[in-house]
Amino acid sequence: MSDSELLVAVLARFARLLPAAHEMPHILEQLMRSAIDVLEPAGATVALSAQLSSAETDPFSGIPAELLDLEVCQRDCARGPGVVAHTCGAPVTITDIGNYGDMWPEYADLAGQHRISSVAAIPMRLDDTEAGVLSLYSRQPRRWSGRDLSVAALLAGMATGHIVTANLVQRQQRVTEQLQHALNSRIVVEQAKGVIAHARRTTPDAAFELIRAHARRNRVTVRAVAHGIVELGLRI
């Protein structure tokens, strides 16, 4: 398979994520594997922007996992090629990391321990969205070509698009769940009003006041009292 054919195949595979992939780890793994398949670096990492990191999402991903040490080092020291790429919004390429020992001593030393000589850090951006930085690593000094950077930027942009879509879907799901919860609560309360109105031979409005007063006295929600009336036979 030629380079062009391989690129088309990888892009087609990556594009198929759009309708179905809503999990951040899967999107990032596909980004790194796609970059490795096409550009053949020794490995790749992704450092997510702070606004996308959460308790449920790891801030860093890497293939192989040992390269995560380089991302943790940049975070802890607040310097390194990925930090510069994220700050400037432009790719940063390093042919020989050993030459940057004065600028990034901790990073250069750690890269040497992992037998990494070269790195290319590419911002993951789409319009106004800054998703993070994709970093590619080589164990030999490598002059990253314009094609390398263009392909990496294309893959990073596609991944950012997937991330934006996934976040929109997740937000919509949360809104739908909240609306469904509110609707369910309203139905239970209406049912409880009917039960109490019938038992007390009063109006639904008066029954609701009885339910609300009971909830206040016991420091629970109206919905909890309504659930007790409908599901557990509570009478007030």
Side-chain angles (χ1 to χ4, degrees), residues 81-90 123 125 130 133:
V83 174
V84 175
H86 180 71
T87 302
C88 298
R125 287 192 170 193
E130 298 181 6
V133 174

Side-chain angles (χ1 to χ4, degrees), residues 104-150:
W104 307 318
E106 304 88 354
Y107 182 85
D109 180 65
L110 190 58
Q113 294 178 35
H114 286 289
R115 298 182 295 111
I116 295 297
S117 294
S118 301
V119 60
I122 298 92
M124 295 171 59
R125 287 192 170 193
L126 183 66
D127 297 329
D128 295 331
T129 300
E130 298 181 6
V133 174
L134 167 67
S135 294
L136 307 176
Y137 303 90
S138 173
R139 299 197 185 281
Q140 302 296 329
R142 177 170 176 173
R143 293 187 180 278
W144 304 91
S145 68
R147 175 187 178 276
D148 293 338
L149 299 182
S150 295

Side-chain angles (χ1 to χ4, degrees), residues 134-178:
L134 167 67
S135 294
L136 307 176
Y137 303 90
S138 173
R139 299 197 185 281
Q140 302 296 329
R142 177 170 176 173
R143 293 187 180 278
W144 304 91
S145 68
R147 175 187 178 276
D148 293 338
L149 299 182
S150 295
V151 171
L154 175 59
L155 293 172
M158 290 179 67
T160 304
H162 290 319
I163 290 170
V164 170
T165 300
N167 286 341
L168 288 174
V169 170
Q170 290 171 353
R171 284 201 294 269
Q172 186 58 50
Q173 288 175 338
R174 286 194 293 269
V175 170
T176 300
E177 290 169 358
Q178 291 168 356

Side-chain angles (χ1 to χ4, degrees), residues 180-193 226 230:
Q180 186 61 53
H181 179 75
L183 177 60
N184 292 341
S185 297
R186 180 62 180 269
I187 291 172
V188 171
V189 170
E190 291 299 321
Q191 291 174 334
K193 284 166 58 176
V230 174

Side-chain angles (χ1 to χ4, degrees), residues 8-31:
V8 170
V10 168
L11 292 177
R13 182 185 68 193
F14 205 8
R16 285 195 294 271
L17 286 178
L18 190 56
H22 303 313
E23 295 296 328
M24 186 82 74
H26 184 56
I27 296 172
L28 300 182
E29 180 181 0
Q30 288 301 310
L31 167 60

